Amino acid sequence: MKKLLLNLAAGLALTAAASAPALAQSTLDKIKARGNIICGTSEGVPGFSLQDNGGVWKGFDTDFCRALAAAIFNDPNKASYLSLSSKNRLVALQSGEIDVLARTTTWTLGRDIGQGLTFTAVNYYDGQGFIVRKKLGVTNVKDLNGASVCVAQGTTTELNLADYGRTNGIKFETVAFATLDDTVQAYEAGRCDAYTTDLSALSGTRSRLKDPEEHILLQQVISKEPLGPWVRKNDAAWFDLVRWTVFALINAEELGVTQANVEEMAKSSQNPEIRRMLGSEGKFGESLGLSNDWVVRIIKAVGNYGESFERHFGANTRTSLPRGVNKLWTQGGLQYAPPIR
Ligand SMILES: N[C@@H](CCC(=O)N[C@@H](CS)C(=O)NCC(=O)O)C(=O)O
């Protein structure tokens, strides 16, 4: 009887194994086999991701893709970029055209659930703002009753604008466009009284208008826009790596590990947290499918979170932004990464 039950159990186990769907190859394995990572990027948002005159992508989001390439290949240049509009970015990730979407994309429940996608970690806390021509004399979003507002399609921006109108009894004439260029050009050509998007992108956009001085950013922030990289659902290995790369960048800043000192720290730091993070102790890199010095590789390539922020949004850049709520939690901000242990 016992044997019969055992046989039955074995038979059931076999049936279960045979009917289970073949485990899809992890994106990480595909990337390793391909020899580079394909990153979904913007259509050009100064500070986040923008091609320079030589066609090289640069920015805070670009740095993140470079960090992933460094972690996997010890070479930040092993990342290629696919420029995507707001409208087509999620489909590009769903269909497997890109490995990761690192493009000012807000974490919302609707996107995180039921679309085959997963948000990884917040690397920039943003909010929605407005830009208007100074000569309109508008100082508050509430003065925009009856105004036309340019917005990009397929964004949270479009939805927040409608919500804000409803809650505040304001009638906006929403004029939505499929691409960033069309949206900004329409605003610049005077087709709309205002242009609305994430505040961080607005200040960069303003700097690229023909006469930035003619435009002002309104003070109100009408939404929460937690931004960060996205991956496909049900790919735990790749999700873990992308998420912990965000956390590694933030932890490195908190622990004072910089592009300039990381190699020295890896050799001689006695701080156990730093030693674990840099792989001088423990095998965390291996458990992520990488080498144990994966964070050394990342920080050597792009610096820590604060260094990347400063490089792209610092006071000396054209896209200067206050660090604001993106300061570390130890300095009164919201950036807080779980410990590497
Ligand atoms: N964070 C918002 C909006 C992001 C967004 O796509 N913004 C528009 C207006 S700046 C856009 O076209 N961005 C340009 C780009 O990233 O190429 C979202 O996730 O829906």
Side-chain angles (χ1 to χ4, degrees), residues 104-219:
T104 57
T105 300
T106 305
W107 186 11
T108 67
L109 189 144
R111 286 175 179 169
D112 208 14
I113 308 293
Q115 297 208 36
L117 305 176
T118 296
F119 184 79
T120 58
V122 181
N123 66 355
Y124 193 103
Y125 290 94
D126 212 337
Q128 182 173 335
F130 292 77
I131 189 170
V132 294
R133 276 184 186 69
K134 263 188 197 155
K135 66 171 189 229
L136 282 184
V138 167
T139 53
N140 193 302
V141 183
K142 293 190 176 141
D143 301 335
L144 287 173
N145 196 11
S148 51
V149 183
C150 279
V151 63
Q153 288 170 4
T155 55
T156 50
T157 325
E158 209 180 350
L159 310 173
N160 299 329
L161 185 67
D163 279 2
Y164 191 85
R166 249 170 71 188
T167 7
N168 293 286
I170 299 174
K171 244 182 119 47
F172 296 113
E173 188 207 321
T174 303
V175 193
F177 297 88
T179 69
L180 175 65
D181 273 356
D182 286 351
T183 321
V184 176
Q185 273 168 27
Y187 170 69
E188 184 139 47
R191 267 193 74 186
C192 312
D193 300 312
Y195 166 50
T196 182
T197 187
D198 298 341
L199 262 180
S200 59
L202 268 187
S203 80
T205 300
R206 179 174 178 267
S207 73
R208 295 215 298 172
L209 293 174
K210 274 178 214 114
D211 194 348
E213 292 307 312
E214 282 182 15
H215 306 265
I216 55 158
L217 263 61
L218 301 182
Q219 292 299 308

Side-chain angles (χ1 to χ4, degrees), residues 230-242:
W230 289 76
V231 295
R232 279 177 292 282
K233 246 193 208 336
N234 299 325
D235 187 344
W238 181 231
F239 169 80
D240 289 342
L241 171 48
V242 175

Side-chain angles (χ1 to χ4, degrees), residues 26 28-29 32 71-73 236-238 240-241 283-292 294 297:
S26 162
L28 178 57
D29 292 333
K32 284 180 180 169
I72 302 166
F73 300 111
W238 181 231
D240 289 342
L241 171 48
K283 299 214 177 316
F284 291 109
E286 277 175 32
S287 58
L288 286 167
L290 303 172
S291 76
N292 287 324
W294 65 293
R297 295 170 166 200

